[in-house]
Amino acid sequence: MALSQQQIAAITSAMSPARMDTYLNARGFGVGATALDIYVWNALISGAFFSSLHILEVVIRNAIAHALELKYGTNWPWNSGFERTLSDWSKEELQSARRGISIGFTGKVIAELKFSFWCNLFTARQDQHLWNAYMRTVFPNLPLPLSVPAARKMLYNDMATLRVFRNRIAHHEPIIAYPLVEHRDRIQRLLKLRCKDTEAWMYQWQIVNATLSTRP
């Protein structure tokens, strides 16, 4: 759809000139790419990534929940021993997530816990409590030479990086300057550590690759 200057001005005003400045001054796009072209592509690639991040978050939190269940039982969100291993922030998050939920409804607590809570379970304080015993059980495709502390640190770094990326998308911020190919590969790699079949399944339908190819 070809837009007149009047239409472009109206859209820019509706979106706000301050927001559009980022796209007006963007580099690395085709000669004919307008700020609105780049804005639209940013929205499309953000949506494409969000569906992949959705799968990743569910898979990784379920992997961690599996380890917690092996250690503390099916009612791990209410286990005082587990709670004592947490930082003050994580403890407050757990208490908030389980508030009003009866013991035994662990799945409901899992759904309430934030992405950052799961990321924080990959800190060094959990090695002796959780990961030394269960890291390779719940992430069976980790490279064999990798030690538990090294694997846990890798998982933490990758998840923390993707959490920042996910939050930027969720707040409708530009991601055009981010290393998008690296993030795509990071998501696939993390999924594969948990389950090769899930990684292959998602690769079949994910739309990140197709959307990356439409970069203006």
Side-chain angles (χ1 to χ4, degrees), residues 78-138:
W78 295 271
N79 186 283
S80 59
F82 169 54
E83 195 168 317
R84 284 193 296 271
T85 72
L86 299 175
S87 67
D88 290 343
W89 180 88
S90 293
K91 191 179 300 183
E92 290 174 4
E93 286 296 308
L94 178 63
Q95 292 168 350
S96 176
R98 74 188 185 208
R99 188 171 296 125
I101 298 176
S102 300
I103 294 176
F105 291 88
T106 300
K108 290 186 176 182
V109 179
I110 290 172
E112 291 295 322
L113 287 165
K114 297 176 182 177
F115 196 26
S116 51
F117 175 86
W118 302 107
C119 289
N120 284 343
L121 288 179
F122 286 121
T123 53
R125 68 191 300 148
Q126 289 296 335
D127 282 355
Q128 64 173 329
H129 302 296
L130 196 63
W131 298 125
N132 287 339
Y134 301 112
M135 176 65 77
R136 293 196 177 276
T137 301
V138 300

Side-chain angles (χ1 to χ4, degrees), residues 6-214:
Q6 183 178 0
Q7 289 172 316
I8 292 172
I11 295 168
T12 299
S13 177
M15 299 303 296
S16 93
R19 171 172 285 269
M20 294 306 300
D21 273 349
T22 298
Y23 303 92
L24 188 64
N25 297 311
R27 298 291 180 265
F29 292 88
V31 174
T34 67
L36 289 179
D37 292 334
I38 299 168
Y39 190 95
V40 168
W41 185 75
N42 182 81
L44 292 173
I45 194 63
S46 294
F49 265 109
F50 212 72
S51 58
S52 294
L53 287 163
H54 163 100
I55 301 300
L56 177 70
E57 182 173 355
V58 170
V59 167
I60 296 297
R61 78 184 187 189
N62 286 345
I64 300 171
H66 181 195
L68 291 170
E69 183 174 334
L70 291 171
K71 174 70 174 180
Y72 300 105
T74 55
N75 293 328
W76 58 263
W78 295 271
N79 186 283
S80 59
F82 169 54
E83 195 168 317
R84 284 193 296 271
T85 72
L86 299 175
S87 67
D88 290 343
W89 180 88
S90 293
K91 191 179 300 183
E92 290 174 4
E93 286 296 308
L94 178 63
Q95 292 168 350
S96 176
R98 74 188 185 208
R99 188 171 296 125
I101 298 176
S102 300
I103 294 176
F105 291 88
T106 300
K108 290 186 176 182
V109 179
I110 290 172
E112 291 295 322
L113 287 165
K114 297 176 182 177
F115 196 26
S116 51
F117 175 86
W118 302 107
C119 289
N120 284 343
L121 288 179
F122 286 121
T123 53
R125 68 191 300 148
Q126 289 296 335
D127 282 355
Q128 64 173 329
H129 302 296
L130 196 63
W131 298 125
N132 287 339
Y134 301 112
M135 176 65 77
R136 293 196 177 276
T137 301
V138 300
F139 295 105
N141 300 314
L142 282 164
L144 284 175
L146 206 61
S147 68
V148 168
R152 188 260 313 144
K153 185 176 181 180
M154 178 189 72
L155 285 161
Y156 176 83
N157 289 339
D158 281 346
M159 292 294 288
T161 298
L162 289 173
R163 182 176 67 85
V164 172
F165 183 59
R166 170 193 180 276
N167 289 346
R168 193 160 182 86
I169 291 172
H171 289 94
H172 314 305
E173 296 297 329
I175 61 169
I176 53 178
Y178 277 65
L180 300 180
V181 172
E182 289 180 23
H183 285 343
R184 176 203 64 190
D185 294 345
R186 183 175 281 111
I187 292 168
Q188 295 291 152
R189 182 173 69 249
L190 286 169
L191 282 175
K192 194 171 185 178
L193 295 179
R194 172 61 171 169
C195 178
K196 292 180 180 179
D197 290 333
T198 302
E199 184 271 337
W201 164 73
M202 197 192 80
Y203 190 81
Q204 290 177 349
W205 60 258
Q206 57 82 24
I207 56 174
V208 171
N209 287 343
T211 312
L212 284 170
S213 71
T214 65

